[in-house]
Amino acid sequence: MLKATFHLKTFGCQMNVYDSSRIVELLNSFGMKEVVDEANADVIVLNTCYIREKASAKIFSELGRLYKLYDVAGKRQPVFAVLGCVAKAEGENIFRRAPYVSIVLSSQKYHLLPELIANAIHDVELVSKEKEEERKAKKEIKKKYKLSHTMNTELSGLEKFDCLPQSTKSDKVAFVQVQEGCDNFCTYCVVPNTRGREVSRSEESILAEIDNLQRLGAVEVNLLGQNVDCYNGIGEDGKPSSLAHLIKNVAKFDNIKRIRYTTSYPSKFSDEMIELHRVEPKLMPLVYLPIQAGSNEVLHKMNRKYTREQYLEIIQKLKDANPNIQISSDFIVGFPNETEEDFEKTLDIVRRVKFIQCYAFKYSPRPNTVAAKMEGQIDNKVKADRLRRLQSELRKSQDEFNKSCVGRVMSVLFSDVSKTNPKYIIGKNEYLQPVIVPADASIIGTICDVEIESASYANLRGKLV
Ligand code: SAH
Ligand code: SF4
Ligand code: F3S
């Protein structure tokens, strides 16, 4: 048992959020307690993101800030552990840039964290006891952790699941990782480097996790993967499975009322999934299908393996199968050589598809990616202008959809009391829009029908029916 406290900060995507929740359970199972106070922890764990330059720069400024916090207060420095995508991408560089960091661990290996923390705490104590030995001991520590970072590089990313404790509590909305890594190598993206090649968990392992979570109260499950359509684990019959096959089995749990999956890749979206959206009522009618850009030239340079026409065709098929389906997406503006005409095609796609929730980013050149070395990098001013124009177009279509909900009866999973007025309860509908109703807190955790009475850009309001 480790009698130490830890403070964990999570950056990046839902994958990291999921990993962090498993890390908390793991450290708890070793007797460590999570603390909210970042200035009073024995161990500081940062679960990091490398996707854009800002995201990774933030990690180093955060490390510096936290280090100073203890330094200024004259306290003993905590053990600093850097996990996640920056850990994988920057590796030992982190020890150079932030010498007080003692643990660097990629997402594939976070199950090794308790052991590394135990060693680090022991060594930090040694260091503070024996001043004259300090320099030598520190050197030893560095050697050890550098070693632990590199020694298991052949781990596939799935082995950690065998080492994690079962969850002992669950939120109403549970996230479950089904697949990890990416083989698509979009020319701008670091994920194939930070998360490695695609690997899928077995259905048996995923269904056991969901079974446990639904017994603990989960009513909605979100199946996570960088490339969730490429899920190809082993089914319960020992044969290769697919995302649709897995979802059909998840739908068999009576307590699970809603199923989502994130993130899809357009050309990997199968007819089997389209059919499932026609027949499976538990499958929520919001499909998160990032297009990135509306111009075929840009898509080609991004190494996205579909055209705008093919993208529109998938959406048409989905809407034919289930007219309630709505689409959300990610966009990148200012990819190298993107012309004004190319960009207009992105705006055109937005006008056609009428996406309901999107993320749009300025292209950020990343180390060791093909696009970063391309000629024709776009000026930041142009990127900023395109981002603003795209966001205003996206806002219009989201606004339009929100307004079209007025008068409809929607199903809402309630989760929180309103912070501004405790007489109001907040939940999410089928499309993940926040819905606010006057009600008693007893409805929290249940799914109720709500008649929508008004809509703004940010949320919907209505009454229970
Ligand atoms: N696997 C998912 C998304 C993973 S990353 C997919 O293929 O769609 C999340 C989003 O970050 C991407 O959809 C993309 O829009 C954005 N992104 C990735 N790399 C980026 C970069 N170098 N610059 C700007 N945005 C980027
Ligand atoms: Fe990155 Fe492309 Fe893989 Fe998505 S599909 S994670 S954008 S390489
Ligand atoms: Fe960031 Fe890694 Fe996710 S780079 S977006 S945390 S997969």
Side-chain angles (χ1 to χ4, degrees):
M1 290 299 252
L2 274 166
K3 275 211 170 19
T5 58
F6 69 97
H7 177 78
L8 169 70
K9 276 190 115 161
T10 307
F11 303 83
C13 65
Q14 278 178 335
M15 282 291 199
N16 267 12
V17 175
Y18 171 79
D19 287 348
S20 284
S21 70
R22 305 295 319 248
I23 289 164
V24 170
E25 288 166 354
L26 177 69
L27 296 183
N28 284 161
S29 77
F30 277 80
M32 291 184 67
K33 281 216 168 62
E34 189 176 12
V35 288
V36 278
D37 183 3
E38 60 178 18
N40 277 304
D42 300 317
V43 183
I44 300 257
V45 184
L46 301 186
N47 195 7
T48 63
C49 175
Y50 199 61
I51 201 81
R52 284 166 291 275
E53 197 192 339
K54 251 194 200 152
S56 63
K58 199 159 148 196
I59 303 307
F60 288 99
S61 65
E62 191 62 8
L63 277 171
R65 188 185 65 80
L66 287 164
Y67 179 78
K68 256 200 211 136
L69 198 68
Y70 284 79
D71 209 33
V72 168
K75 289 186 204 145
R76 193 180 77 179
Q77 283 290 334
V79 168
F80 282 98
V82 177
L83 273 61
C85 293
V86 175
K88 178 77 179 177
E90 294 272 340
E92 294 178 11
N93 228 352
I94 297 173
F95 295 124
R96 276 189 286 277
R97 288 184 65 179
Y100 42 87
V101 169
S102 25
I103 300 171
V104 172
L105 207 55
S106 70
S107 318
Q108 290 83 2
K109 291 183 260 173
Y110 63 71
H111 57 292
L112 303 174
L113 190 58
E115 189 193 324
L116 294 178
I117 289 178
N119 291 342
I121 287 178
H122 177 75
D123 290 340
V124 166
E125 273 166 6
L126 262 187
V127 166
S128 50
K129 264 188 217 139
E130 300 184 32
K131 275 279 174 202
E132 71 277 16
E133 289 290 311
E134 188 167 335
R135 208 182 47 84
K136 224 171 92 195
K138 265 191 178 163
K139 228 171 154 187
E140 277 305 303
I141 295 172
K142 289 285 152 55
K143 240 178 29 206
K144 198 182 298 172
Y145 300 121
K146 274 180 198 173
L147 189 67
S148 50
H149 169 72
T150 43
M151 74 186 174
N152 284 304
T153 36
E154 68 286 353
L155 282 187
S156 75
L158 291 184
E159 279 144 74
K160 66 185 175 213
F161 287 106
D162 300 330
C163 309
L164 299 174
Q166 249 201 359
S167 303
T168 51
K169 58 183 177 19
S170 172
D171 290 334
K172 290 290 164 185
V173 179
F175 292 84
V176 175
Q177 187 180 346
V178 303
Q179 177 269 336
E180 159 128 27
C182 182
D183 293 350
N184 283 333
F185 290 95
C186 301
T187 52
Y188 51 81
C189 185
V190 295
V191 171
N193 298 332
T194 62
R195 292 278 176 166
R197 295 295 77 73
E198 278 171 19
V199 276
S200 296
R201 287 173 75 183
S202 69
E203 277 201 18
E204 190 187 3
S205 154
I206 297 164
L207 294 171
E209 186 172 332
I210 296 175
D211 188 16
N212 180 43
L213 295 169
Q214 60 112 22
R215 284 168 205 268
L216 295 168
V219 293
E220 177 175 313
V221 64
N222 195 329
L223 308 174
L224 298 178
Q226 261 94 20
N227 229 329
V228 75
D229 303 271
C230 295
Y231 173 77
N232 68 347
I234 302 293
E236 74 284 23
D237 48 7
K239 294 196 185 123
S241 169
S242 63
L243 180 63
H245 188 274
L246 172 66
I247 290 176
K248 282 181 206 160
N249 281 332
V250 176
K252 288 180 190 157
F253 289 111
D254 283 341
N255 293 349
I256 300 293
K257 310 288 185 205
R258 296 171 147 195
I259 302 171
R260 304 181 191 275
Y261 56 95
T262 320
T263 307
S264 291
Y265 186 88
S267 54
K268 305 277 168 62
F269 205 92
S270 67
D271 287 344
E272 207 189 352
M273 278 304 297
I274 292 174
E275 182 53 28
L276 204 57
H277 271 286
R278 185 198 308 274
V279 297
E280 178 50 68
K282 290 186 180 181
L283 200 51
M284 291 294 101
L286 174 65
V287 178
Y288 183 26
L289 196 62
I291 183 168
Q292 312 296 359
S295 143
N296 286 339
E297 277 80 352
V298 174
L299 287 172
H300 181 71
K301 286 178 199 137
M302 287 177 162
N303 194 28
R304 300 288 289 186
K305 296 168 187 99
Y306 52 87
T307 60
R308 60 184 274 131
E309 292 76 18
Q310 284 162 340
Y311 184 86
L312 291 170
E313 198 186 321
I314 296 163
I315 289 176
Q316 194 53 52
K317 278 195 198 165
L318 271 165
K319 293 205 169 181
D320 289 346
N322 179 348
N324 289 329
I325 282 185
Q326 297 294 335
I327 312 293
S328 59
S329 183
D330 288 352
F331 296 88
I332 294 176
V333 298
F335 189 76
N337 298 300
E338 184 188 66
T339 62
E340 177 61 23
E341 209 186 349
D342 289 324
F343 174 66
E344 291 284 341
K345 287 183 183 155
T346 298
L347 293 179
D348 177 66
I349 283 279
V350 176
R351 289 183 198 114
R352 282 169 197 252
V353 179
K354 299 189 184 303
F355 298 97
I356 68 162
Q357 274 150 31
C358 290
Y359 297 97
F361 310 99
K362 288 191 279 185
Y363 165 69
S364 168
R366 305 301 292 128
N368 302 317
T369 57
V370 173
K373 294 175 203 102
M374 285 179 182
E375 285 178 12
Q377 300 286 329
I378 305 284
D379 191 77
N380 190 47
K381 261 197 192 144
V382 177
K383 285 186 201 169
D385 178 59
R386 288 182 188 163
L387 183 65
R388 190 187 47 74
R389 285 156 66 202
L390 175 58
Q391 278 171 336
S392 123
E393 200 60 52
L394 288 170
R395 197 184 163 112
K396 265 191 234 160
S397 62
Q398 178 168 337
D399 237 358
E400 200 177 302
F401 178 65
N402 284 10
K403 296 222 170 81
S404 77
C405 295
V406 176
R408 282 175 68 176
V409 172
M410 305 185 104
S411 114
V412 179
L413 169 54
F414 288 98
S415 57
D416 299 289
V417 176
S418 158
K419 285 201 182 79
T420 48
N421 185 342
K423 288 188 180 139
Y424 286 83
I425 310 296
I426 303 174
K428 293 264 174 81
N429 69 5
E430 303 89 328
Y431 302 102
L432 291 174
Q433 294 161 294
V435 179
I436 306 169
V437 299
D440 188 89
S442 61
I443 65 165
I444 288 177
T446 65
I447 299 174
C448 309
D449 281 346
V450 172
E451 186 183 330
I452 306 300
E453 296 175 312
S454 69
S456 73
Y457 171 69
N459 55 44
L460 308 176
R461 287 171 181 271
K463 59 169 194 265
L464 296 172
V465 291

